[in-house]
Amino acid sequence: MPRYNAPFEIHVHGQVPLRTDVTFNQIQDALKPLWKYAGAKSLADAASSAYEEEPGIQFDAPEHMLQMCWTVPGDEDFKQALDEMCMSLNELAERGASIEITFYDTDFDEDDKQAADDSRDDFLMLFVGPTPAAIMQVQRDLLVQDVINMMERHFDASELNGVVREIDQLFTQRFDALVNSLELGKPPRGPGGSGGAGGHGGGGRRPRHLH
């Protein structure tokens, strides 16, 4: 059902490299939680974004790439659809990939400076991939990029090799713990198993992805 009074505009943004044998029907099945949430009867019906300037959901068959820059009205329950989508995309992904999810508060008035702290905006970073190792690799690469970008304001890039080694060691420890937990028949510890997610709010409004 369309959500005319939804509290959020939810933006899904990311690129997922797919196996060469993946078909459109498999993608449609994997993304069913999204297009069903949008009240559509098929992926094609829901592929267009709520904003014309956004490409929406596209399958680049020659490049074997799922591209998403798509906005839909919704509520907090959209996170359940995201969990189901990630589990399905894990089986289709060729490599690890990140997907950004931004919840924009529809009641927020950008011109009202006093209301800035009351915004319910939220942001999630989801990860998909064929294996836990592939997901952790994407998480590691993003973290290294963020840390380097921040620290290069104060240090030369050549001085940061030790920082990168420490990050790699942390992820090696996490992966070893994951392998050990799986060998013992226990659930994986920490994010980065079949699909990890992290979220944060505040820090100002995130700009929309415009193309």
Side-chain angles (χ1 to χ4, degrees):
M1 294 292 291
R3 294 167 171 81
Y4 298 108
N5 297 312
F8 297 103
E9 287 182 343
I10 306 168
H11 185 71
V12 181
H13 193 93
Q15 293 184 323
V16 180
L18 304 172
R19 301 194 320 267
T20 57
D21 61 330
V22 170
T23 65
F24 177 81
N25 286 338
Q26 289 176 296
I27 297 171
Q28 178 165 253
D29 288 342
L31 298 184
K32 187 174 181 179
L34 297 194
W35 54 263
K36 289 284 286 183
Y37 189 89
K41 295 182 179 179
S42 68
L43 176 57
D45 290 339
S48 297
S49 176
Y51 290 90
E52 293 183 359
E53 65 267 27
E54 296 175 353
I57 301 175
Q58 299 178 339
F59 172 41
D60 187 340
E63 296 296 328
H64 310 290
M65 186 74 67
L66 171 64
Q67 301 181 357
M68 295 180 287
C69 181
W70 181 74
T71 298
V72 64
D75 206 334
E76 290 282 351
D77 59 353
F78 186 70
K79 294 176 181 178
Q80 177 62 40
L82 292 172
D83 288 341
E84 296 174 7
M85 176 196 72
C86 287
M87 293 297 293
S88 297
L89 284 180
N90 286 339
E91 300 178 3
L92 306 182
E94 176 69 23
R95 302 186 304 276
S98 61
I99 303 173
E100 301 175 4
I101 313 295
T102 310
F103 289 74
Y104 293 98
D105 185 352
T106 57
D107 292 331
F108 178 76
D109 184 356
E110 293 187 358
D111 296 328
D112 186 353
K113 302 300 183 182
Q114 295 181 348
D117 294 335
D118 297 329
S119 171
R120 294 175 297 164
D121 286 4
D122 197 9
F123 173 72
L124 302 174
M125 181 71 80
L126 306 179
F127 299 92
V128 298
T131 64
I135 290 172
M136 286 188 184
Q137 183 64 49
V138 176
Q139 293 174 323
R140 176 265 179 201
D141 292 345
L142 285 175
L143 178 58
V144 168
Q145 179 181 342
D146 288 344
V147 170
I148 294 298
N149 288 341
M150 180 181 66
M151 296 190 68
E152 278 185 338
R153 303 171 190 169
H154 310 283
F155 301 93
D156 291 334
S158 59
E159 298 179 85
L160 301 177
N161 292 333
V163 175
V164 175
R165 285 195 297 270
E166 288 298 323
I167 293 174
D168 285 339
Q169 183 176 353
L170 288 172
F171 275 95
T172 297
Q173 293 171 354
R174 172 172 288 184
F175 183 75
D176 289 344
L178 172 65
V179 171
N180 290 334
S181 68
L182 291 175
E183 289 176 349
L184 295 174
K186 298 178 181 179
R189 292 181 295 174
S194 60
H200 64 79
R205 284 209 124 188
R206 291 177 57 83
R208 293 187 182 278
H209 296 275
L210 299 180
H211 297 260

